[in-house]
Amino acid sequence: MKELKIVTPILSVSYDELSDSDRRLVDAARKMTYKSYSPYSRFSVGAAILLDNDVVVTGSNQENVAYPSGICAERSAAFYAGANYPEAHFMAIAIAARGTDGEEITDPISPCGACRQALAEYEQLAGHDVKVILAGHDSIYIVPSVKSLMPLAFIDFA
Ligand code: THU
């Protein structure tokens, strides 16, 4: 018997410690929380994806009265990127959120399982790690890749 351990390295940084490029993404994700359509949860999420053509694609959560028909901010941005820039590869994604009180959440939120699954495939297509930046008001986490957020992901069935 052998125990296998999976480690997710997370860098906790302040806004000032971000690179210019990462700061640009966090700013874009925070701005997108104001475009969220979330009358049911009142939880506003924004996402911004940097592509390798230097375009930043953004998204926000879009809810629906038939609850499962809505979509998270991450997949709204990812699918927009895939649909509009099919040749481009993802480099990084930033995610930010505001809670029911309208304030930015203190600690970062992390993508749901469905978004991790979708992002894992775009990372696979990119052929390199896609950095994940989780922005809270008090702390910002940098995770080096989607696969480190979703170990043992199902990414192909060949
Ligand atoms: N949501 C996101 O957009 N991204 C996440 O990472 C977590 C949850 C959305 C889905 C729903 O509209 C609302 O937040 C509450 O779950």
Side-chain angles (χ1 to χ4, degrees), residues 6 8 112-125 145-158:
I6 297 171
T8 301
C112 76
C115 287
R116 291 177 200 212
Q117 179 69 37
L119 292 170
E121 187 145 338
Y122 288 109
E123 181 174 74
Q124 166 96 334
L125 286 169
S145 63
V146 176
K147 64 176 176 292
S148 60
L149 267 185
M150 194 177 193
L152 304 181
F154 177 64
I155 38 177
D156 61 54
F157 56 93

Side-chain angles (χ1 to χ4, degrees), residues 11-28 30 50 54 56 91-94 131-133 140-142:
L11 218 55
S12 178
V13 300
S14 68
Y15 181 77
D16 293 338
E17 289 173 318
L18 291 171
S19 67
D20 288 350
S21 160
D22 289 354
R23 204 173 302 137
R24 175 177 170 222
L25 267 198
V26 166
D27 290 347
R30 284 178 168 161
L50 174 66
D54 216 31
V56 172
M91 300 300 292
I93 178 168
K131 188 181 352 181
V132 183
I133 307 164
I140 299 175
Y141 294 163
I142 300 183

